[in-house]
Amino acid sequence: MSQKLKQLGKNQIFWPLVVLLAILFVNGIVSGGQFFEMRIVDGHLYGRLIDILRNGSKLMVLAIGITMALATGGTDISVGSVMAISGAVACSIVDGRILPGASGSVTVAIVLALLAGVLCGLWNGVLIAKVKIQPIVATMILMVAGRGIAQLITEGKIVTINSDAYYFINGGYILGLPFPLFIVAFAFVLIMLFTRKTAFGLFIEAIGVNSVSSRFTGIKVDRIKLIIYTFSGLMAAVAGLIESAGIKGADCNNAGLLIELDAILSVAIGGTSLFGGRFSIPASVVGALIIQSISTSVLAMGVAPEVTLVVKSLIVVVICLVQSKKFKEAIARKFSRKVVKEA
């Protein structure tokens, strides 16, 4: 039994999953069971668990995209700005502010918003893979410039739209479940097949461990980095569509503001080293759910908004310590000495 537990503990997703279940369990106790209550209204599922899944969809999508960038030893801090650009493009088209010939077509808006995300990711990829700029600097350029670009698209205004078809991206339901969950599931399955059923995942881990050696073994390091950052941009664009559909408009100043930090933290909580190497997309998704669960829990407990971030930070510090191999070894040594002294 203990051997099986040790084997499970070596799985990258094990501890993030334990932490997530612990957070949900504590919430259940504190709320007297109300936290787990679910109800069906007009064929749609409602409840705090559904809220966590729906509100965490943006973060899960971002985590799926950014995990591979971190696994190569890089990073992408421009995803929040790409979200703003994506939302600005889509809402401006639906509103008729740009491309009036499209007659507010939601399909055209979605396609062009995703294309904008791909171009943003491609820009990052070129700077990193071809121009050899450090990832944090290269993506910082777009992080700063991206909100300016989004404001240029919307002419510095908050664009509000009136389109039920566009609202469906965030507020729609299929089979009683929120539509954003299906978006997350599609992206998850797609990237899992691509990284686990092909050699692509191994190439990423090899680059993260040693990019120079990977190049000597014949791996197209630059091309893979280009693909990874382009995909991250695409996922950021998808998150931007979910965000803008949720607020029914494009708010370039606040859309995706600082969400890049939560996305990176989600991946780190999922056990992927920021120095690159081994990675796990499922663990990153669980990490995103942990972040969203903390946010939902803190708000549900009525913690004042001015101390919410502090409480959230403290919880994250505890989670990181619990997952730290050195911290666990130090605690184990301390207890083993205590047992020896007592004996």
Side-chain angles (χ1 to χ4, degrees), residues 28 63 66 97 124 139 186 203 233 280 291 338:
I66 208 172
R97 191 174 300 261
N124 284 335
T139 54
F186 178 75
F203 291 163
S280 169
I291 297 291
K338 191 175 178 182

Side-chain angles (χ1 to χ4, degrees), residues 13 32 36 58 71 74 99 104 112 120 141 145 202 206 212 217 220 224 240 258 300 309 320 328 338:
I13 199 174
F36 296 112
K58 299 187 293 282
L99 289 181
L112 291 185
C120 289
I141 294 170
L202 291 176
V212 176
T217 58
K220 306 291 184 187
I224 288 175
L258 297 180
L309 292 178
C320 290
K328 285 186 285 190
K338 191 175 178 182

